[in-house]
Amino acid sequence: ARAVETLLDDFGRALREPHEGRERLDAALAAALCLAAAAEAFGDRVGWMGFAARVERLVPPAPRSMGELARAFSGLQTRAE
């Protein structure tokens, strides 16, 4: 049986702070894509949830390509909540 991986990212105001010349949100999303790529390589089902005061975006766990997950991240911004 393959594993089910669900990645969580908090889009609160702390991710607005710069990190190496870009928002921490960018670094968090890049790290999530790296983890998802590793899970995909083992045939695991990958899901993802982004939240601030509430769930902003939810991608249920499923076998998926990194392109699908990257599209799910598109247009996300940090929240002041």
Side-chain angles (χ1 to χ4, degrees):
R2 299 290 185 212
V4 175
E5 310 289 339
T6 302
L7 308 172
L8 306 173
D9 279 311
D10 180 351
F11 297 135
R13 72 182 74 134
L15 286 185
R16 285 187 179 174
E17 297 297 318
H19 175 72
E20 297 181 2
R22 59 184 183 164
E23 276 192 357
R24 290 180 187 270
L25 173 61
D26 293 335
L29 295 178
L33 282 173
C34 286
L35 289 170
E40 179 189 37
F42 287 98
D44 295 348
R45 295 172 31 176
V46 178
W48 176 78
M49 182 178 76
F51 63 95
R54 61 183 167 79
V55 174
E56 297 291 329
R57 200 155 303 167
L58 176 64
V59 179
R64 63 180 78 253
S65 71
M66 290 304 92
E68 289 176 271
L69 203 53
R71 282 189 293 281
F73 292 170
S74 68
L76 290 171
Q77 297 179 359
T78 55
R79 305 280 186 233
E81 303 156 352

